[in-house]
């Protein structure tokens, strides 16, 4: 079975999964400025032969992941990208190419370049088309891991447009009634602009949770809630070990009784928009997570929609929709009702207040060791210690 | 609070919510041909002044709902549409109008006509645009209940295209952390063509379940699974009474710990595509479910995507993706792994084998009483009794 066969490095486990800053308590963390982290990633990537502007694209997506609190999709993964370029499993030369095109659509060959290079190319094209005819729907094959899906959807916000982004990924999710992983965590991201820079930003895996959250519970010796994962027999389990050794994540919705078949359907919908529409790898044919024995050939989908082509007053209504929800009386006074994107906004605010992004000290040390091997100056300073 | 304040009629409760034929056991049911049910709905609707082709549009959507096993969206609701026309809360004259248009997009004024009239108009327009430029994205305001969302998405299958359909609905869902209903069950439907008439058809509410399923449990005196609904304080409950009296459905994913915030985000995404993009009513401003004191002004979204504009071989890959999943070893030998649309396909097969659609005898009697009041011949025959 196609599950989590690679060994995650220690820091991927420490800094696992889509956790806001304040979830991982009591760890020694080190404050580093965004500019420095971006520069560091650029230095490392160009040192192994990545073009300067490709390296910058990657750096921006990864740092945005960290800034938004999704450490599993940030600096923490830089070594994977460095290795992909070093081994040649990911291409460093060339640019994405449009293979087929209409006023509103395009099929792009990502030329096996870094995911963010393909993603930026496609999203820019989608926005251009949405400027012309109200919508752009662009799909790419021959792509690679592209970081947080939300990064691309959010590019549309700058043009006051709705943005969407989808990617298929290595199999980690067991379909309802099955016991084998055939779908990735296949994320859906939708961003919509409201007034004064406010926005709705949905950025969600179609699995109940990220694999990293299960790893974190396993490391702590804690059980997981019912509805996160299943054992090798396909039964919902609260034992994270069973999920990680031959089991898998379950789709959002959990068991069949609680609507897991809906998450399963959404995961397959993402596959339809990505692998199937783009003619990339799909489902169980995608290489095993963290095993880079062959080219990924991921399928990705990027959409921009121009509200100007529809009813006037879009951003006013968006702001009102967000206000309605943020102002609801919460069930528990300690946990206010949020809109999609608000937890990330809170995380960014914390970073701004602190004057940088806090990284686990071991992640910084590990990345600096990686940098040393390729002759790159370390991430600095790493003496601004903040407590978890 | 905006929840289930109207009183459902007895048969809506009996025939509640999205249940396949074999779920409601031991009830006396009556077999009626599709043609007869369609004709009956047409007769009733035209008797109260609906135009012939509008009545046919409605009849086709409702019978398709029953045929697919979604009785909550079929004949069972006919009296609601009859009443809407009788009271004038829904318009019977005119046709939908395109207000704004590009090669790939359109904004449509549904002119307060029956939902299926607006839906067919918009979906046909979306398909036409997808034929021209690869995609059509059409949104409507001033619409009404349109039956099953899947009906419109599936229209695209006839043209070998991907179809999508979304609608906002009256508030029945409590956002994560809240205790008040501000979102409808806001369905997502996506249909994609495979080879030989096969297809993927996702048609799902973004709530964990339909309200009818909670009503059914309440009537039986059974508890509901954790993750379907919450009480008036916003706490997840297994007591269906608490959900129905001041509580509400929860988004797919259930509690916050099991990913309910994802379903909440998806419900809001549907609202963005519908009420917000179309300039219709939205969120808590939509009239209370089953209370027709004012015009609905629902927002709806219809999309067609032409796979010809993307990588060649789409339907081959779709068929393979479906096969991969249908052929998976099931966790339980009695429950095979299915793809989205398969339960409905099985239900249609049963109807074909039986030679008609089985309706609860009381629904038939009730609808015949409605028909009598408006001088319409009854649904016939109703003596072909089949056991549940």
């Amino acid at each position: 079975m196609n599950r989590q066969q690679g060994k995650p490095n220690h820091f991927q486990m420490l800094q696992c999964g889509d956790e806001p800053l304040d979830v991982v308590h009591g760890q020694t963390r080190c404050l580093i400025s965004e500019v420095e982290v971006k520069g560091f990633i650029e230095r490392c990537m160009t040192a192994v032969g990545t073009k300067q502007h490709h390296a910058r694209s990657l750096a921006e997506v990864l740092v945005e992941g960290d800034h938004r609190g999704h450490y599993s999709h940030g600096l923490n993964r830089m070594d994977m990208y460095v290795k992909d370029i070093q081994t040649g499993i990911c291409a460093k030369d060339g640019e994405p190419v449009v293979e087929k095109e209409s006023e509103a659509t395009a099929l792009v060959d990502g030329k096996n370049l870094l995911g963010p290079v393909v993603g930026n190319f496609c999203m820019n094209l989608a926005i251009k088309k949405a400027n012309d005819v109200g919508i752009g729907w662009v799909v790419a094959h021959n792509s690679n891991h592209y970081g947080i899906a939300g990064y691309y959807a959010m590019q549309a916000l700058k043009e006051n447009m709705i943005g969407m982004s989808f990617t298929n990924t290595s199999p980690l999710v067991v379909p309802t009634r099955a016991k084998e992983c055939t779908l990735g965590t296949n994320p859906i991201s939708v961003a919509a602009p409201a007034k004064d820079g406010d926005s709705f930003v949905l950025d969600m895996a179609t699995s109940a949770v990220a694999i990293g959250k299960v790893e974190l519970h396993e490391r702590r010796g804690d059980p997981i809630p019912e509805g996160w994962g299943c054992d090798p027999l396909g039964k919902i389990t609260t034992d994270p070990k069973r999920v990680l050794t031959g089991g898998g994540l379950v789709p959002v919705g959990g068991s069949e009784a609680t609507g897991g078949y809906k998450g399963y359907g959404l995961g397959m919908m993402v596959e339809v928009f990505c692998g199937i529409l783009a003619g990339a790898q799909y489902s169980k044919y995608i290489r095993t997570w963290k095993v880079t024995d062959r080219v990924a050939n991921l399928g990705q989908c990027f959409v921009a929609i121009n509200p100007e082509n529809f009813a006037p007053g879009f951003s006013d209504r968006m702001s009102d929709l967000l206000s309605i929800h943020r102002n609801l009386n919460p069930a528990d006074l300690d946990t206010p009702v949020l809109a999609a994107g608000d937890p990330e906004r809170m995380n960014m605010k914390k970073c701004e207040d602190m004057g940088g992004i806090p990284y686990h000290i071991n992640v910084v040390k590990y990345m600096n060791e990686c940098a040393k091997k390729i002759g790159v100056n370390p991430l600095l300073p790493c003496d601004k210690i903040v407590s978890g």
Side-chain angles (χ1 to χ4, degrees), chain A residues 27 39 71 83 121 123 132 199 208 215 222 251 259 268 272 286-287 296 306-307 312 323 332 356 362 387:
Chain A
Q27 299 184 347
Y71 285 106
K83 191 181 142 209
F121 179 90
M123 198 65 211
D132 292 345
S199 58
E215 290 171 344
D222 289 340
M268 205 185 279
V272 171
I286 300 176
R287 70 185 186 197
N306 192 349
S323 291
D332 177 342
N362 289 349
S387 66

Side-chain angles (χ1 to χ4, degrees), chain A residues 299-328:
Chain A
Q300 290 162 349
C301 177
F302 305 87
V303 183
I305 300 169
N306 192 349
E308 294 289 321
N309 282 56
F310 302 95
F314 179 86
S315 58
D316 291 339
R317 286 188 297 278
M318 266 314 301
S319 285
D320 184 44
L321 182 66
L322 294 171
S323 291
I324 288 171
H325 288 89
R326 289 171 182 156
N327 293 330
L328 283 172

Side-chain angles (χ1 to χ4, degrees), chain A residues 2-19:
Chain A
N2 241 332
R3 268 167 227 161
Q4 196 57 5
Q5 291 165 351
K7 288 186 187 168
N9 72 46
H10 182 58
F11 310 109
Q12 279 171 327
M13 293 185 63
L14 272 177
Q15 286 285 351
C16 70
D18 300 357
E19 298 286 350

Side-chain angles (χ1 to χ4, degrees), chain A residues 51-344:
Chain A
K51 286 191 214 174
Q52 184 72 46
H53 72 282
H54 290 184
R56 189 171 311 126
S57 290
L58 178 69
E60 278 172 6
V61 179
L62 296 188
V63 174
E64 185 72 4
D66 290 336
H67 194 197
R68 297 177 72 79
H70 299 294
Y71 285 106
S72 57
H73 290 67
L75 171 66
N76 181 53
R77 278 200 183 165
M78 187 198 69
D79 56 333
M80 178 186 90
Y81 295 100
V82 166
K83 191 181 142 209
D84 284 352
I85 293 289
Q86 279 181 316
T87 60
I89 209 72
C90 194
K92 53 181 188 282
D93 296 317
E95 298 295 335
V97 169
V98 177
E99 288 190 321
K100 201 188 268 190
E101 196 171 15
S102 80
E103 294 89 325
T105 64
L107 172 67
V108 168
D109 181 347
K111 295 285 182 186
N112 192 31
L113 292 158
L114 287 167
V117 174
V118 182
N120 285 340
F121 179 90
C122 292
M123 198 65 211
N124 288 338
L125 190 57
I127 290 169
K128 192 177 164 297
K129 289 175 186 295
N131 249 320
D132 292 345
V133 294
I135 188 166
W137 188 288
V138 177
V139 301
H141 61 107
N142 263 328
S143 191
N144 282 286
H145 290 292
Y146 72 176
I148 53 168
Y151 180 84
Y152 308 95
M154 286 188 295
Q155 299 310 306
L157 299 179
K158 297 173 189 167
E159 308 292 324
N160 276 314
M161 292 184 188
I162 298 171
M164 295 200 272
S165 158
F166 311 86
T167 183
N168 64 14
T169 59
S170 299
L172 285 172
V173 176
V174 179
T176 307
R177 298 187 173 186
K179 47 188 180 177
E180 189 178 336
C181 296
T182 56
L183 291 169
T185 52
N186 296 5
I188 295 173
S189 181
V190 180
K195 282 189 299 187
D196 306 322
D198 196 7
S199 58
F200 164 83
V201 182
L202 180 67
D203 188 2
M204 55 170 270
T206 48
S207 54
V209 291
I211 193 76
K213 284 200 182 177
V214 180
E215 290 171 344
L216 185 65
H217 280 69
E218 196 262 343
R219 196 168 56 85
R220 286 181 184 155
D222 289 340
I224 53 171
E226 234 174 82
W228 283 18
C230 67
D231 68 17
L233 298 174
K235 303 293 175 199
I236 300 284
T237 180
T238 57
D239 180 355
K241 275 197 179 60
R242 304 272 287 156
V243 174
L244 296 171
T245 52
L249 299 173
V250 296
V252 61
S255 70
E256 185 169 355
T258 55
Y261 55 92
K262 297 186 179 191
Y264 163 38
L266 290 168
M268 205 185 279
M269 174 195 81
V270 172
E271 192 57 280
V272 171
F273 294 165
C274 294
I276 307 299
L277 204 52
Q281 292 292 11
Y282 57 90
S283 182
K284 66 176 186 180
Y285 308 126
I286 300 176
R287 70 185 186 197
T288 302
W289 175 231
K290 288 174 186 163
V291 177
T292 52
D293 52 344
R294 56 194 168 95
V295 163
N297 188 11
L298 297 184
Q300 290 162 349
C301 177
F302 305 87
V303 183
I305 300 169
N306 192 349
E308 294 289 321
N309 282 56
F310 302 95
F314 179 86
S315 58
D316 291 339
R317 286 188 297 278
M318 266 314 301
S319 285
D320 184 44
L321 182 66
L322 294 171
S323 291
I324 288 171
H325 288 89
R326 289 171 182 156
N327 293 330
L328 283 172
N329 285 323
D332 177 342
L333 287 176
D334 296 333
T335 52
V337 181
L338 303 174
D342 287 351
E344 290 83 358

